[in-house]
Amino acid sequence: MTDYPHQYSGGMKQRAVIAMALACRPALIIADEPTTALDVIVQAQILEEIKKIQKELNLGILFISHDISVVADVCDHIGVMYAGQLIEYGRREAVFESPGHPYTRELVGSHLALLGDQCSPQTVPDASPNLVNPPAGCRYCNRCPTARDTCRDEEPKWVRLTSDHRIYCCQSGNSG
């Protein structure tokens, strides 16, 4: 109690923030990059603590992360965003085993390449769109390896792949 925040480690600070978040007994916690800048051992401890708390207190947790391996470990459902838009949503298994959106396929492919024997992450060509003045059509089309001319002009639509797996894309036929 006599120490200052700058005297605590990153893991200790994260635990303090989690304790503060739980003090009001919320039904939902929004965890935005809760393991950023932590070493892998402390990151694993924090993730285990979050999962334990979620089960014990029956909390909903909206987990926001750029770390796809953390998302694969922690989340039951996954929403993939690109350029400020949700482009895929589904159960973890569906998203990782059968990614439907081209961007999600590249994310999952990069993750799998890093897990394999040879570390050869895939790169995505071109640059992200200007979000101040977003382009017409699909925001991912300039980077998409399967883009068609219609992708540049048509607004994507939600497409149901299964009862609990959807993508936001111009290229699929059935909207849902």
Side-chain angles (χ1 to χ4, degrees):
M1 289 190 47
T2 60
D3 293 338
Y4 292 96
H6 71 275
Q7 295 172 305
Y8 292 121
S9 69
M12 291 170 74
K13 290 176 187 174
Q14 289 297 74
R15 287 177 177 89
V17 170
I18 291 169
M20 288 189 307
L22 295 172
C24 296
R25 301 197 183 278
L28 172 70
I29 291 180
I30 300 173
D32 189 357
E33 299 284 357
T35 59
T36 298
L38 299 177
D39 66 61
V40 291
I41 294 170
V42 175
Q43 179 181 10
Q45 292 170 346
I46 294 293
L47 293 174
E48 285 306 312
E49 195 68 29
I50 288 172
K51 290 190 280 188
K52 178 181 161 193
I53 289 167
Q54 192 272 332
K55 286 181 183 167
E56 286 178 3
L57 302 178
N58 196 28
L59 291 173
I61 298 179
L62 176 60
F63 195 91
I64 302 167
S65 181
H66 286 87
D67 189 334
I68 195 166
S69 62
V70 170
V71 170
D73 180 45
V74 173
C75 300
D76 295 325
H77 289 81
I78 297 174
V80 178
M81 292 186 74
Y82 179 79
Q85 288 183 326
L86 186 64
I87 59 165
E88 184 155 358
Y89 179 80
R91 293 196 55 75
R92 173 186 55 222
E93 297 80 9
V95 172
F96 276 95
E97 292 170 13
S98 301
H101 194 280
Y103 179 65
T104 308
R105 285 194 294 271
E106 292 194 26
L107 281 177
V108 171
S110 294
H111 173 66
L112 295 175
L114 290 172
L115 293 177
D117 291 336
Q118 296 180 354
C119 184
S120 57
Q122 300 171 351
T123 58
V124 180
D126 207 2
S128 298
N130 177 347
L131 299 183
V132 173
N133 186 18
C138 175
R139 292 183 181 185
Y140 187 63
C141 71
N142 287 338
R143 300 177 99 177
C144 183
T146 60
R148 301 182 204 151
D149 290 338
T150 56
C151 298
R152 298 186 199 302
D153 302 321
E154 291 180 14
E155 182 71 20
K157 299 199 177 5
W158 279 105
V159 178
R160 183 183 306 223
L161 301 178
T162 66
S163 63
D164 60 356
H165 187 191
R166 294 184 172 150
I167 62 170
Y168 191 63
C169 190
C170 303
Q171 297 186 39
S172 299
N174 303 324
S175 58

